[in-house]
Amino acid sequence: MNFNKASSSSANYTESCCRDICILVVDFDPICLREASGMLSALTYEVLMAHRAMEALEMIQDKDLRIDMVLMELHMPDMYGLDLLDEIKRISDLPVLVMSFDRSENAILSSLEKGAYFYFTKPLYMEDMSNIWQYVHTRRHQQQRQRLEAEKKEAAALQESSFNEEEEMHEDEGGFVSDWNNSYGVDQSMEDTAKDPVEEDTITSPLRKKARLDNVRSPGSDIAGDGLGLFPVPIEEEKLISPSSPQPPATLPPPPLTPP
């Protein structure tokens, strides 16, 4: 009883997975084509049929048809199955399953090497068809992941482009300020000094130099200097007293005494 419930639940899950999948069945044998299509329809797949390889290629290229998978016969009369497989891979990325009465190892390996997802030997059974929906879901998952990765790359590219535009805008603003300073004769060094004032050197400042020049005089010269020739200051003429001229007394003599 429990086994029957499990089987029923599994069948319902398989049907729900198969319901939105469209499979193109390609086979020149009408009996095999009808049997394969009947099994897939019983599993709730949507089925399209093609009797020739060229007809199948036209249906795959038709944009109005939504095909998710191809189930094809290997030995087709109008085109060899491996060549048909190459053409399908060239024009689409659909998963392709190969079926044939040919059980040779060469046929199986050649089909898989050409890109077939699986190789079924005829006759087909319902169990063979019940799980092929997994190939379609794997492809859809891969497509979704690739789409998300492409969107992430596009968003990152837009963010980087916006950042570069902001950087260029800042550079243009900096160049405009520099051009304005050059046109109006603003010295960048003076601007930097105004931004970052340093402590005044009391030794080399103009006030200190003037004081030194006023106090230092060269012997026999009328120009005062600090030995470096900075800020010459003229010295007023001084009246020099000759050593031979009489010197005034240091103190005046007392007045003469008058007799009583």
Side-chain angles (χ1 to χ4, degrees):
M1 184 67 178
N2 293 335
F3 176 76
N4 292 334
K5 287 183 178 180
S7 299
S8 177
S9 176
S10 176
N12 293 334
Y13 177 74
T14 301
E15 290 179 1
S16 64
C17 295
C18 301
R19 192 169 292 116
D20 64 337
I21 296 176
C22 179
I23 300 178
L24 173 61
V25 182
V26 186
D27 200 328
F28 68 96
D29 186 345
I31 297 176
C32 293
L33 182 62
R34 185 172 60 251
E35 289 180 354
S37 299
M39 290 181 189
L40 295 173
S41 298
L43 293 170
T44 68
Y45 289 106
E46 183 181 351
V47 181
L48 297 175
M49 294 182 291
H51 296 83
R52 294 290 183 269
M54 295 304 298
E55 182 184 359
L57 293 176
E58 292 176 358
M59 296 176 69
I60 292 173
Q61 291 177 312
D62 190 345
K63 301 298 182 182
D64 296 332
L65 298 178
R66 184 186 62 85
I67 299 174
D68 299 302
M69 183 187 298
V70 178
L71 176 62
M72 52 163 281
E73 163 64 36
L74 178 62
H75 300 284
M76 298 291 295
D78 58 336
M79 182 182 296
Y80 183 52
L82 295 182
D83 296 334
L84 175 59
L85 184 56
D86 286 335
E87 286 296 316
I88 295 175
K89 290 298 181 181
R90 186 181 64 83
I91 63 177
S92 72
D93 61 344
L94 296 175
V96 180
L97 310 178
V98 176
M99 58 181 177
S100 178
F101 285 107
D102 189 351
R103 297 172 179 268
S104 66
E105 182 178 353
N106 181 51
I108 297 173
L109 292 179
S110 298
S111 300
L112 296 177
E113 291 173 358
K114 285 287 186 178
Y117 278 51
F118 202 85
Y119 188 99
F120 293 105
T121 55
K122 292 180 178 180
L124 301 178
Y125 298 97
M126 185 72 72
E127 292 78 6
D128 297 333
M129 303 290 101
S130 61
N131 292 322
I132 61 176
W133 59 268
Q134 299 177 15
Y135 300 114
V136 176
H137 280 261
T138 300
R139 172 176 173 263
R140 290 177 178 176
H141 177 71
Q142 292 175 349
Q143 290 177 336
Q144 182 179 6
R145 184 175 58 185
Q146 292 173 357
R147 185 167 54 253
L148 291 175
E149 291 178 355
E151 291 176 356
K152 289 181 180 180
K153 291 180 180 180
E154 184 178 358
L158 290 175
Q159 184 177 4
E160 184 179 358
S161 176
S162 176
F163 176 77
N164 292 336
E165 289 179 0
E166 292 180 0
E167 288 291 325
E168 292 177 359
M169 185 180 300
H170 290 312
E171 290 178 0
D172 293 341
E173 291 177 356
F176 173 77
V177 172
S178 176
D179 294 341
W180 186 89
N181 290 340
N182 293 335
S183 8
Y184 286 91
V186 178
D187 190 356
Q188 186 66 28
S189 61
M190 295 176 61
E191 187 178 349
D192 295 341
T193 304
K195 292 180 181 178
D196 300 323
V198 296
E199 185 180 357
E200 184 181 7
D201 187 359
T202 56
I203 297 177
T204 60
S205 64
L207 295 177
R208 177 65 177 171
K209 289 177 181 178
K210 188 175 187 308
R212 292 176 63 190
L213 291 173
D214 289 341
N215 296 329
V216 179
R217 288 168 171 77
S218 301
S221 175
D222 292 340
I223 298 178
D226 60 352
L228 300 176
L230 299 175
F231 301 101
V233 179
I235 304 175
E236 296 181 358
E237 293 184 359
E238 297 180 355
K239 294 181 180 180
L240 302 178
I241 302 175
S242 175
S244 60
S245 61
Q247 299 293 333
T251 58
L252 295 177
L257 297 177
T258 57

